Amino acid sequence: MRTIRNGLVLALGITMTALGATACGGGGDATPPAAGPNEHVDLTLATFTEFGYEALIPEYERLHPNIKITHRKTGQGGPYHEELVTKLAAGSGLADVTALEEGHLSDFLDKGSKFNDLSKIGPADASPDRWLSWKYDAAKTKDGKLIGYGTDIGPLAMCYRKDMFKAAGLPDDPEAVKPLFATWDSYFAAGADFVKKSNGKAWFDSAAQNFNAMVNQLPQGYIGSDDKLAVEGNQGIKDAWTKVTDAVAKGESAKLTAFSNEWNTGFKQGAFATKVCPAWMLGVIKEQAGPENAGKWAVTAAFPGGGGNWGGSYLTVPTQSKHPKEAAELAAWLTAPEQQIKAFQAKGTFPSQVKALTDPALLGKTDDYFGGTKVGELFAEQAKKVQKPQYKGPGDGQIQENASSPALQAVEQGKSAADGWNQMVEAAKKITR
Amino acid sequence: MTVLDKVAPEGSKAGERTSPRPTFRHRLSRWDVKVSPYLYIAPFFILFGIVGLFPLLYTAYVSLFKWEAGSDDPDFIGLDNFKELFADAQFWNALTNTISIFLLSSVPQIIIAVLLAALLGARLRGATGWRVGILLPYAASLVAIGIIFANLFGPKYGLINGVLQTIGLDPVDWQANRFGSHVAIAIMVNWRWTGYNALIVLAAMQAIPKELHEAALIDGAGTWRRFWNVTLPLLRPTLIFVTITSTIGGLQIFTEPKLFDAMPGSNNGGSTNQFQTVTLYLYQTAFQNADLGYASAIAWVLFLIIVLIALGNFFLTGRLARPQAVKKK
């Protein structure tokens, strides 16, 4: 018995030592001065999915022989941003230039003190007028700090199945369908008509996809400008909810969760006739619907309720960076119009810079899959329809992901619209608690 | 002590008077005897202290704070996180799901594992091939299995519903239906772990002395009776081990429900949390809601529940197998 106790005491002693060692792990965070022009600088760049920077990095290194860039590329956005929060909390591990997605931006704006103010440390040519104003303004904290340079955007248009429209006796020419997509009311009414005429085929893929677009168009979203939850008092959100759940009740939804395997199969099977289409969605449709459906999909420069934006990212320089000045320069260069066009040509990321939107390389871009439509010009037009950024308080993206989307999914699975609404409100309250 | 007595004169030089104070070498060897064993076993305890005990204690510490990831000054709130947790309907829902999935997986898993082991223990052509084969699901990547099964159980285009419909049954919305989702996840777990457990049981079965079976055979016991009255009671320690490991694993189930969700990357466990497990809720709280204090409270409650259930299992398994053993004697 005695030996056991001794062992325990020893183990405890060792643990205490370990505890002490770990507790002292913190470090000072004095900002080092900018490196000299010939001093060797190692920079890291963290992105997720496809930014189209593969060819740009060696080019930047050629232009700046003293800089060496390590590109850390992650596949999925969700885990990437979860890791960012952890690294932000740990106080180390973030890349010098760290990409943030628009949907997660609000949570990081809330922690603005952990990012450098790019309007102060960035190069002079990265002036506000380089970007579409709403893209630029969305990355400003409440006290006016700019934490990120805008990369791509996701202007919204409407994609639809020409062949299914024709079979149901609806107009199918890109110009002729525009009136159907003028407002959300006309859109859902056309959907009810389509369901009847096509023997119960679905009009759209998922209620949550439409609802997200509708909420994003409102002057105020889930969170008020006082950072308090504003779901219950917001008539716009309630109206959008009613419209979408009514459409579900009329059989307009294919009830497929976006980006799930079933959703992917749904594209191949022609399970729905329309799809809200941010610029980057064209690539998704092409990949999921496959070559066998080429020419059946079309896209038109119309979106219910005007325009909107869905997606796009920012490049930030966390205060953890040891070379903030050099990092800001790299971020500014990568988001300059010339580079944005190159990234667009490489991976189709749609540029957010005013100058890039009139670039012939962009305007001349056509897509054979979508019947040879001038997609570059189309989305440039849609991008200009976006008014101003909706204020997104902390937790906004979370509410979309973990309150409204699951609640709409529950309605699609048979819950009543009223119960679904309560589920969403309760979940949103819990998130903002 | 005898060792020390021998060492002492050796350390003193010949002709010299043995001083009452021990020499340096003497002290060194005394230390050697006293300390060395602890040093030899120390690596385990140091490692355990760093990666086991420290996180456990630190989690308990964090659970006393309202601690948002990334915030600079967490507020000390005492046991408020625990109070809130016990009133949290989502936590109880997650706990019910976890226990339901655990029972649906562990119970059939262990029964099938024992039966499989009995079959594998019989004379088979190519016995090694069968034994390796049964372990194959375990060797496959868990993430790949999760994705494949989520596809199989797809509500619209899944293979299982396709089969159900061809034989004239109604399709099941495996994700929307609470019990359906639990069954689907349990099947995923069983597919992976049954073979692994069967091999452990098989090893224990083969360690049973042949004489016991022969004696029972002479006494006129049939195959089934020998299995029930000889094999099973002697498997008791192994069954306890298998039950406890599967309890720990079952209550910590995470990957399968996470990948089963139709929404990629979601931690909700379905539209109404119908298959959100405690670990999934813990993960969501910590890394999505960045609420580290509350997540730590969940972690500690889960830890205590696992300890309790593992202890309960230990006694239950012991009791179940014991009467047989007594009867045999």
Side-chain angles (χ1 to χ4, degrees):
Chain A
M1 213 55 215
R2 222 181 79 91
T3 42
I4 289 177
R5 207 166 50 219
N6 283 347
L8 276 177
V9 169
L10 191 77
L12 207 74
I14 291 164
T15 317
M16 298 313 272
T17 324
L19 238 150
T22 321
C24 305
D29 52 356
T31 323
N38 293 318
E39 202 176 316
H40 181 79
V41 175
D42 281 308
L43 289 180
T44 46
L45 165 69
T47 62
F48 53 93
T49 63
E50 300 294 345
F51 275 64
Y53 289 165
E54 283 71 18
L56 294 175
I57 290 166
E59 189 181 337
Y60 191 79
E61 285 177 336
R62 254 199 321 280
L63 295 170
H64 303 81
N66 64 321
I67 286 175
K68 173 96 187 60
I69 300 167
T70 313
H71 188 188
R72 297 189 214 142
K73 213 173 136 183
T74 311
Q76 262 189 321
Y80 170 86
H81 288 91
E82 277 161 25
E83 206 187 319
L84 285 194
V85 177
T86 318
K87 285 177 174 169
L88 211 58
S92 70
L94 287 177
D96 296 295
V97 177
T98 299
L100 287 186
E101 211 262 338
E102 168 249 353
H104 296 266
L105 183 66
S106 62
D107 291 326
F108 294 96
L109 281 174
D110 193 38
K111 300 176 178 70
S113 63
K114 313 248 172 187
F115 294 93
N116 282 297
D117 186 350
L118 294 175
S119 64
K120 293 226 174 75
I121 68 161
D125 65 322
S127 53
D129 57 346
R130 181 190 270 186
W131 285 272
L132 289 164
S133 61
W134 55 267
K135 178 74 179 178
Y136 184 85
D137 291 344
K140 273 195 201 154
T141 62
K142 278 197 144 172
D143 45 2
K145 247 176 103 171
L146 181 77
I147 69 162
Y149 286 140
T151 61
D152 57 324
I153 50 173
L156 284 163
M158 193 56 87
C159 291
Y160 66 98
R161 280 282 296 251
K162 263 181 139 165
D163 57 328
M164 290 170 76
F165 271 47
K166 200 172 202 161
L170 295 179
D172 65 312
D173 181 72
E175 282 306 311
V177 294
K178 275 185 180 171
L180 300 182
F181 304 141
T183 65
W184 286 108
D185 287 325
S186 71
Y187 173 73
F188 288 128
D193 190 33
F194 172 84
V195 173
K196 240 180 260 146
K197 287 178 177 166
S198 65
N199 268 331
K201 279 215 173 88
W203 180 239
F204 54 82
D205 56 335
S206 122
Q209 291 275 295
N210 291 13
F211 184 74
N212 293 345
M214 291 164 92
V215 171
N216 273 332
Q217 288 175 330
L218 298 172
Q220 197 181 52
Y222 299 110
I223 308 283
S225 48
D226 54 354
D227 281 353
K228 292 227 165 65
L229 186 67
V231 175
E232 276 175 301
N234 191 328
Q235 193 57 39
I237 294 181
K238 182 82 205 192
D239 288 345
W241 178 272
T242 312
K243 280 176 193 171
V244 170
T245 50
D246 277 355
V248 171
K250 285 179 187 146
E252 291 183 38
S253 172
K255 305 178 183 182
L256 298 166
T257 308
F259 302 100
S260 67
N261 295 315
E262 296 253 303
W263 185 72
N264 294 342
T265 314
F267 275 111
K268 276 201 182 62
Q269 308 261 346
F272 44 89
T274 66
K275 173 81 202 78
V276 292
C277 252
W280 46 265
M281 189 64 82
L282 298 188
V284 177
I285 294 179
K286 253 186 269 183
E287 193 181 327
Q288 298 306 341
E292 65 268 32
N293 286 312
K296 290 182 184 165
W297 278 96
V299 56
T300 188
F303 194 75
N309 180 67
W310 189 329
S313 298
Y314 290 87
L315 294 183
T316 66
V317 178
T319 48
Q320 290 178 15
S321 169
K322 290 211 170 69
H323 305 287
K325 207 120 189 131
E326 289 78 6
E329 251 164 56
L330 170 64
W333 185 83
L334 283 171
T335 55
E338 307 79 56
Q339 276 66 251
Q340 282 295 286
I341 289 295
K342 284 179 196 161
F344 170 74
Q345 284 167 327
K347 297 284 174 190
T349 54
F350 203 82
S352 59
Q353 286 76 3
V354 183
K355 236 170 107 186
L357 290 182
T358 54
D359 193 294
L362 180 84
L363 294 179
K365 165 97 176 161
T366 57
D367 198 323
D368 289 337
Y369 195 90
F370 292 84
T373 312
K374 281 194 157 178
V375 287
E377 191 183 326
L378 186 148
F379 281 106
E381 189 184 327
Q382 290 303 101
K384 285 172 193 152
K385 288 184 188 165
V386 183
Q387 301 299 318
K388 56 171 201 169
Q390 179 188 68
Y391 173 73
K392 290 193 189 296
D396 188 281
Q398 270 251 38
I399 293 175
Q400 188 195 308
E401 212 169 298
N402 296 326
S404 68
S405 295
L408 282 164
Q409 198 190 345
V411 171
E412 287 176 330
Q413 288 168 347
K415 211 172 191 173
S416 79
D419 286 351
W421 173 262
N422 290 337
Q423 183 189 327
M424 175 180 82
V425 172
E426 286 312 309
K429 275 185 186 161
K430 209 170 169 203
I431 289 167
T432 49
R433 183 174 51 99
Chain B
M1 279 305 131
T2 47
V3 184
L4 285 181
D5 294 342
K6 265 185 206 159
V7 168
E10 210 176 277
S12 52
K13 282 181 188 147
E16 206 178 292
R17 207 159 50 88
T18 323
S19 75
R21 283 184 59 213
T23 62
F24 176 66
R25 269 183 72 178
H26 186 154
R27 267 181 295 161
L28 203 65
S29 56
R30 194 192 283 268
W31 263 86
D32 181 31
V33 171
K34 267 193 177 167
V35 176
S36 294
Y38 291 113
L39 282 180
Y40 294 142
I41 56 161
F44 167 77
F45 284 98
I46 292 172
L47 213 61
F48 172 75
I50 295 170
V51 302
L53 197 59
F54 170 69
L56 199 69
L57 296 176
Y58 193 66
T59 307
Y61 170 74
V62 172
S63 73
L64 303 177
F65 290 83
K66 181 155 185 60
W67 194 315
E68 197 200 339
S71 75
D72 298 321
D73 35 34
D75 303 325
F76 182 81
I77 53 168
L79 292 174
D80 281 7
N81 277 328
F82 290 93
K83 269 186 222 152
E84 202 180 316
L85 186 63
F86 289 124
D88 182 354
Q90 195 176 346
F91 172 72
W92 293 114
N93 170 62
L95 189 61
T96 315
N97 292 342
T98 308
I99 290 172
S100 161
I101 294 171
F102 158 63
L103 289 177
L104 281 171
S105 55
S106 285
V107 175
Q109 192 184 112
I110 290 169
I111 293 172
I112 296 170
V114 173
L115 294 179
L116 265 180
L119 288 178
L120 283 174
R123 285 177 170 211
L124 289 172
R125 205 182 280 269
T128 319
W130 291 105
R131 286 170 195 176
V132 172
I134 208 171
L135 199 62
L136 276 183
Y138 177 69
S141 146
L142 178 56
V143 173
I145 293 172
I147 292 169
I148 291 167
F149 273 75
N151 263 317
L152 291 180
F153 286 100
K156 276 223 172 92
Y157 307 113
L159 187 68
I160 310 260
N161 272 348
V163 171
L164 285 182
Q165 277 166 303
T166 40
I167 58 171
L169 292 171
D170 284 336
V172 180
D173 193 340
W174 293 102
Q175 261 125 17
N177 181 312
R178 190 173 186 191
F179 185 69
S181 65
H182 293 185
V183 170
I185 292 169
I187 289 175
M188 246 185 267
V189 177
N190 288 343
W191 192 77
R192 186 171 151 85
W193 287 99
T194 308
Y196 174 85
N197 283 330
L199 279 195
I200 294 179
V201 175
L202 176 64
M205 254 181 208
Q206 299 202 318
I208 295 173
K210 279 208 172 67
E211 294 79 27
L212 287 176
H213 276 288
E214 282 162 4
L217 203 62
I218 290 166
D219 287 346
T223 315
W224 181 246
R225 198 170 162 76
R226 271 185 289 132
F227 174 73
W228 195 253
N229 285 3
V230 179
T231 312
L232 264 192
L234 290 170
L235 281 181
R236 210 183 103 210
T238 312
L239 286 181
I240 292 175
F241 170 77
V242 168
T243 315
I244 288 177
T245 48
S246 75
T247 306
I248 295 171
L251 292 178
Q252 293 180 338
I253 184 166
F254 172 77
T255 317
E256 288 91 346
K258 182 164 166 85
L259 292 172
F260 190 63
D261 204 311
M263 206 191 294
S266 165
N267 302 312
N268 289 318
S271 58
T272 51
N273 308 124
Q274 61 268 41
F275 53 91
Q276 187 178 48
T277 58
V278 177
T279 342
L280 207 50
Y281 184 41
L282 167 97
Y283 181 83
Q284 181 173 42
T285 313
F287 301 110
Q288 238 182 342
N289 302 353
D291 198 346
L292 297 183
Y294 197 60
S296 301
I298 298 176
W300 252 87
V301 172
L302 178 64
F303 171 69
L304 293 179
I305 288 172
I306 290 177
V307 169
L308 272 181
I309 294 187
L311 280 177
N313 259 335
F314 180 76
F315 288 118
L316 201 71
T317 324
R319 194 168 283 263
L320 279 182
R322 189 172 299 135
Q324 312 289 346
V326 173
K327 232 186 272 167
K328 189 184 72 75
K329 279 177 187 168

